[in-house]
Amino acid sequence: MKEMEFNLLEEPWIRVRAPECTLKEVSITDALLHAHEYAGLAGELPTQDVAVLRLLLAVLQTVFYRVDPEGNPSPLEDEEEAIDRWGQLWQKKQLSEKPILEYLAAWRDRFWLFHPERPFYQVLEAQIGTEYGAKKLNGEISESENKYRLFQSYSGTEKDSLTYSQAARWLLYLNSFDDTSSKPKGKGLPSVGAGWLGRIGLFLARGNTLAETLLLNLVLLKDGQELWAPPRPYWELDQPRSGERTEIPLPDNQATLLTLQSRRIFLHREESRVTGYRLIGGDFFERENAFCEQMTLWRKAPEKRNAPTTYLPLRHDSAKQMWREFPSAFAPAASAHTPGVVQWIVALRDYMDRKSIVQFTSVGAVYGDKDFFVNDAFSDSLSFHRFVLDSSHVGVPSKISQEVRFCEEIARAVGGLAEEVAKSAGGQAAPETARARFYFAIDQPFRRWLAALDPEEDIDEAVLAWRSQAKRIARQVGQALVEEAGPSALVGRCVKSKKGNKELKVYHAAPKAFNHFLWELNRIYGEKGGIPS
């Protein structure tokens, strides 16, 4: 690179949404100092927004671990002080200007998108890597040279090159969610896995403004319990790591994790446009028990004899509504691990009223063929009163989780009904479609029920009311399946089958299947709707 160009602290490149729903591009400095004026980030994809959010969080983690909200040097020394400092920031309703400006001014030279020695989130050594065009950098297209997408939103010059502001956003996204299409250049190196954020089940808190969202995810205590090591973001390294596929120790502070360089990248520019890039694998660490990551769901790995319990990040299922993940996110069994950001919100009980609404968002990328390419991105949200997470209301999360499990049982029963009805009509069964139909029908009612749970009302009565509604919805879905099967399914048919040496005849009919389905509903909830345990 011959000259410095496009400083991310001063040039507009981060897309935000104003309260009136208009979009604008702002610099890092503007995004932080005026975060209380913006409803949130508004990039091209939700995955891109998370990558940008983590960059902003890295700045805040670094600043407020070292100084107080007034900018006075005051490194955090204990857990109580961390909670108090967060409370001071929360009560101000906006981010403190003086300490942020002083910090960014001190590190201004590390935020040039193009720099002869230290281009932001790039290394010169990446020039040996796999070469890609701008259309692969643009996550809305994500098109390689040998795979073309139909119905694209870009064409011509807009497809073959990017503005600097676009390139800056997609640079962060690429570092976090890149696929596995690039091949190692060095001998004996492991294959390049998906970017770190693409390998986890992203889970974060959401506020009414960008400032609230930043603060709710500003996890100053690991799992809401213990201090992190002193922060050290990527741009503060004396020399950026440039080796291909470099295994690093598990990060012990949030700034290092939030600025993890999963890829080594080098952008190409021509006539004030980015035309492509080169890439090799970057930093990685073992996923097992990587509890430094506060924004993911976790799953228990298969147990090994005489080995300690191990947890791995749990990727989201894009076909699964977020409320169906409630048990693993908010009410895991004693042997599970709760997302760090959820534990952090619980730790902030003194600053958040139990009747205040908290919102959590899940975000993920959909990969294909062993993460070889990105097919799509998705996000979902869930809102409820904060008391649901309050330890003084023991049992509420488990009651909600039980209702989620009951819904899963009903969905299986709906799938079974669909199979029997298909056999009755002599057609092809589609249980997955039937289950999806039930989940679609119950999705919004469940969300409304969860959001309406009130700490001052009887939870058991609310649960019984929900069960009555859920059974009614399930019956409606089941009845529709029977009616749509036609007269032949009502008459039914005998199907021959073999059991050992015996030949059996089994009679299948839609009315018979529907009666069994109603029996299943009563079994799941009990004859009178069940009493919450």
Side-chain angles (χ1 to χ4, degrees):
M1 287 188 184
K2 297 180 180 179
E3 60 182 32
M4 297 184 295
E5 200 171 7
F6 204 82
N7 192 283
L8 300 176
L9 302 182
E10 300 160 0
E11 300 284 352
W13 64 280
I14 296 175
R15 289 180 53 169
V16 296
R17 178 176 290 105
E20 63 274 14
C21 288
T22 58
L23 302 182
K24 62 183 297 188
E25 291 185 359
V26 299
S27 65
I28 290 178
T29 305
D30 190 306
L32 291 171
L33 299 188
H34 298 278
H36 57 288
E37 300 174 9
Y38 305 131
L41 297 174
E44 287 88 342
L45 294 176
T47 41
Q48 183 195 90
D49 283 342
V50 172
V52 174
L53 182 75
R54 286 169 72 99
L55 169 65
L56 299 177
L57 285 171
V59 174
L60 297 182
Q61 281 278 353
T62 305
V63 171
F64 294 112
Y65 242 75
R66 297 172 179 175
V67 303
D68 64 22
E70 306 306 320
N72 302 310
S74 180
L76 291 177
E77 296 182 351
D78 58 53
E79 289 74 14
E80 184 177 352
E81 186 180 2
I83 295 291
D84 289 342
R85 181 162 299 176
W86 186 92
Q88 295 174 44
L89 294 168
W90 182 254
Q91 291 169 347
K92 288 170 69 72
K93 302 299 181 182
Q94 65 183 76
L95 302 175
S96 300
E97 181 174 321
K98 179 175 180 289
I100 292 174
L101 283 177
E102 290 180 348
Y103 177 79
L104 295 180
W107 293 96
R108 178 178 179 274
D109 284 346
R110 297 289 171 85
F111 284 84
W112 290 99
L113 184 62
F114 299 103
H115 189 280
E117 297 175 357
R118 291 287 294 262
F120 185 78
Y121 269 40
Q122 303 166 70
V123 292
L124 306 183
E125 289 79 0
Q127 295 178 81
I128 67 168
T130 305
E131 184 170 7
Y132 296 98
K135 57 189 177 183
K136 185 71 164 61
L137 176 61
N138 187 334
E140 288 188 286
I141 304 175
S142 192
E143 180 182 286
S144 64
E145 297 301 323
N146 57 6
K147 181 184 68 176
Y148 299 94
R149 294 187 183 273
L150 299 176
F151 310 114
Q152 297 174 19
S153 54
Y154 296 86
S155 62
T157 302
E158 296 297 318
K159 177 180 176 181
D160 295 329
S161 65
L162 302 172
T163 65
Y164 288 170
S165 59
Q166 284 179 299
R169 294 193 296 272
W170 291 119
L171 172 66
L172 268 62
Y173 165 87
L174 185 69
N175 179 64
S176 302
F177 291 96
D178 187 38
D179 55 38
T180 63
S181 60
S182 65
K183 302 301 180 185
K185 299 300 177 182
K187 293 184 178 180
L189 293 175
S191 298
V192 178
W196 173 245
L197 297 192
R199 304 177 73 190
I200 68 178
L202 275 164
F203 198 85
L204 56 148
R206 186 79 68 183
N208 295 320
T209 65
L210 176 56
E212 286 189 3
T213 298
L214 285 166
L215 288 173
L216 290 172
N217 293 285
L218 184 62
V219 183
L220 297 181
L221 297 178
K222 181 180 181 181
D223 293 336
Q225 298 174 17
E226 59 181 279
L227 282 176
W228 299 99
R232 194 172 191 197
Y234 160 80
W235 53 80
E236 288 191 4
L237 296 178
D238 296 331
Q239 290 294 327
R241 286 185 292 272
S242 58
E244 183 179 12
R245 292 293 284 160
T246 304
E247 184 169 5
I248 63 172
L250 198 66
D252 59 4
N253 69 91
Q254 282 292 277
T256 294
L257 175 71
L258 295 170
T259 58
L260 177 71
Q261 301 297 290
S262 293
R263 296 292 186 267
R264 312 282 188 230
I265 303 169
F266 184 81
L267 298 178
H268 299 306
R269 55 175 166 165
E270 292 180 15
E271 299 179 356
S272 298
R273 305 264 310 178
V274 172
T275 57
Y277 65 99
R278 285 186 175 270
L279 176 146
I280 55 177
D283 298 334
F284 69 97
F285 50 80
E286 292 297 329
R287 293 184 301 155
E288 289 79 2
N289 294 338
F291 298 138
C292 57
E293 179 54 68
Q294 302 289 281
M295 293 183 177
T296 186
L297 298 177
W298 297 93
R299 65 179 175 87
K300 194 174 181 180
E303 294 186 3
K304 298 179 181 179
R305 181 178 295 182
N306 300 323
T309 302
T310 300
Y311 298 93
L312 295 169
L314 174 62
R315 273 178 167 175
H316 299 294
D317 181 349
S318 61
K320 200 172 183 180
Q321 295 91 339
M322 187 176 172
W323 58 266
R324 292 166 61 188
E325 295 179 320
F326 189 97
S328 58
F330 304 106
S335 60
H337 191 84
T338 310
V341 67
V342 174
Q343 298 184 58
W344 171 243
I345 298 298
V346 171
L348 302 176
R349 62 179 65 87
D350 291 341
Y351 294 97
M352 302 181 70
D353 184 83
R354 65 177 185 164
K355 293 197 70 173
S356 60
I357 297 293
V358 293
Q359 181 180 17
F360 291 91
T361 298
S362 61
V363 179
V366 181
Y367 294 88
D369 191 18
K370 298 180 180 179
D371 298 347
F372 195 72
F373 52 87
V374 178
N375 272 331
D376 202 358
F378 65 91
S379 67
D380 196 2
S381 296
L382 200 61
S383 301
F384 47 83
H385 287 91
R386 191 199 170 281
F387 89 98
V388 168
L389 304 177
D390 198 328
S391 59
S392 63
H393 289 78
V394 176
V396 173
S398 63
K399 291 178 187 293
I400 297 171
S401 296
Q402 183 61 64
E403 298 314 306
V404 173
R405 286 188 282 269
F406 281 154
C407 286
E408 291 174 347
E409 287 191 52
I410 294 175
R412 284 192 288 270
V414 169
L417 173 62
E419 287 187 278
E420 283 298 308
V421 169
K423 291 177 182 177
S424 303
Q428 188 69 33
E432 282 295 332
T433 301
R435 285 194 286 269
R437 183 173 180 173
F438 168 72
Y439 279 126
F440 178 80
I442 208 167
D443 180 50
Q444 290 303 315
F446 188 94
R447 292 174 190 272
R448 288 193 292 267
W449 171 75
L450 180 60
L453 288 178
D454 193 305
E456 297 178 359
E457 296 180 359
D458 188 282
I459 299 300
D460 287 347
E461 288 185 7
V463 169
L464 288 174
W466 163 251
R467 291 182 179 181
S468 176
Q469 184 181 11
K471 287 180 69 175
R472 183 170 62 253
I473 293 171
R475 284 196 298 269
Q476 291 171 349
V477 172
Q479 186 173 349
L481 290 173
V482 171
E483 292 174 351
E484 292 166 6
S488 60
L490 297 177
V491 174
R493 57 196 288 269
C494 284
V495 178
K496 294 181 180 180
S497 64
K498 281 190 175 183
K499 187 176 182 180
N501 295 324
K502 292 184 178 181
E503 187 175 275
L504 303 175
K505 289 185 178 181
V506 179
Y507 176 61
H508 298 277
K512 176 184 175 183
F514 187 66
N515 284 336
H516 180 74
F517 174 67
L518 294 179
W519 178 87
E520 281 286 321
L521 291 182
N522 288 331
R523 179 192 63 79
I524 292 169
Y525 282 141
E527 291 293 335
K528 297 182 180 180
I531 302 298
S533 58

